Amino acid sequence: MYAKKIYFAGGNFHELQEVFSRIRGVLSATAGYINSDAVAPSYEKVAGDMTGAAMGIEISYNPKEIDLSTLLDILFAVINPYCRDERGNMYRSGVYYCDKEDEVIIEFYMNFLRMRYKAPAVTAANVTVNDPCSDNKAVYKCYAEAVPLHNFYPAEKKHQYYLRKNPRTKTFIDFLRLRELDIIT
């Protein structure tokens, strides 16, 4: 069977793994550390921002059953690419790709996200021009990144399928709502 890989980061990687492991067409979802400066990073070092890595997931999927655009739709339905954490720091969120052919789709999608909340300028003659709003306070800023994958290290065994092992863990994702929308199984 033909399979492709893509890497996503954002929010809690336990939640991302649980969501994407339930998507039809996804063959596997592995929690881990993306683009680390350190070899074999640990959860504690990545959480302490000592490795430059993002916590995320590696997704292996069958492109005949689900396409990359749909996976991106699901990612940005469960994480907010315009969000900073409670201290004002940027969440490490984004898409990391290893196939050059995916770059065009990802960049097109990310450009849509970057321009999504920017209102077009309107002239006095009521002609809309493709000039984004120049008032930076009035627009959202997209903090998600789209960059090539340099490396991926699977997380420790205790972090793989953490939510299945610890079903009482509080999450910010409404899994029942995703099931109602027929996004997950």
Side-chain angles (χ1 to χ4, degrees), residues 15-35:
E15 293 174 333
L16 285 182
Q17 182 181 37
E18 191 61 31
V19 168
F20 283 96
S21 68
R22 296 177 180 209
I23 304 292
R24 282 180 226 80
V26 171
L27 307 172
S28 67
T30 305
Y33 314 113
I34 300 170
N35 288 353

Side-chain angles (χ1 to χ4, degrees), residues 16-65:
L16 285 182
Q17 182 181 37
E18 191 61 31
V19 168
F20 283 96
S21 68
R22 296 177 180 209
I23 304 292
R24 282 180 226 80
V26 171
L27 307 172
S28 67
T30 305
Y33 314 113
I34 300 170
N35 288 353
S36 175
D37 295 334
V39 177
S42 67
Y43 181 85
E44 291 75 21
K45 287 182 180 177
V46 174
D49 202 23
M50 294 185 273
T51 64
M55 288 188 192
I57 58 171
E58 172 189 69
I59 297 171
S60 177
Y61 68 99
N62 181 345
K64 292 182 179 183
E65 289 186 44

